[in-house]
Amino acid sequence: MAIKITDECINCGACESECPNTAIYEGGDDWRHADGTNLKGDIVLTNGKEANAEETQEPVSDELYYIAADKCTECMGFHEEPQCAAVCPVDCCVPDDEHVESEETLLGKQSFMHNK
C-alpha cells in the first residue's frame, strides 16, 4: 500500500528528498507523474488510469507535505523500508489504508516509472 502523511506533519521536509520516486511534495505544490521518473507523454498507469506524465496534478494538500499515491511504491525496488517513514521525526508517514497494493503491484509500479 502507499504511504500517506498525517496531519501531525510539522512541515520539516525531511522526507521529500528521501523519496526515490519523487512522490513527496510540499503542500500546495502541483505534482506530475514525470517528476523524478522516466515517464513522458500520454501514459496508462499500472492501475489502468490514463494520464499525461507532464500534466500538472492538483495538490493532495494545500497545507502539509503530501505523497502522490500514484507514484508511491513504499520504496520497493530501492530500499528495504519506506525512507520517508525512516527519516520522519514525528512518525507521520504511515501506511495509507485507502491505497492498498501488493508487493508485486508496488514493484511493477516502480519498474513502470523507471523503465526497469
Side-chain angles (χ1 to χ4, degrees):
M1 75 181 58
I3 303 294
K4 69 178 179 180
I5 298 175
T6 67
D7 59 5
E8 285 95 31
C9 177
I10 59 172
N11 280 324
C12 70
C15 57
E16 185 178 23
S17 64
E18 297 299 319
C19 182
N21 297 311
T22 314
I24 302 175
Y25 294 84
E26 188 170 354
D29 285 354
D30 293 336
W31 67 276
R32 293 165 194 74
H33 291 282
D35 296 341
T37 72
N38 292 328
L39 299 176
K40 294 180 177 147
D42 293 328
I43 56 172
V44 178
L45 302 173
T46 56
N47 62 10
K49 191 165 65 172
E50 294 180 9
N52 182 289
E54 286 96 12
E55 189 173 287
T56 58
Q57 305 294 317
E58 293 281 324
V60 175
S61 172
D62 287 327
E63 300 171 14
L64 303 171
Y65 276 84
Y66 68 89
I67 299 173
D70 282 349
K71 295 176 68 177
C72 180
T73 64
E74 292 185 42
C75 294
M76 290 212 178
F78 294 105
H79 304 286
E80 291 185 23
E81 66 180 344
Q83 296 301 286
C84 56
V87 301
C88 182
V90 293
D91 296 325
C92 68
C93 297
V94 299
D96 184 352
D97 293 334
E98 293 185 24
H99 296 97
V100 178
E101 298 168 303
S102 68
E103 182 176 330
E104 180 181 335
T105 299
L106 293 169
L107 287 169
K109 190 189 311 186
Q110 187 265 351
S111 179
F112 170 73
M113 288 189 297
H114 300 281
N115 297 323
K116 293 185 176 185

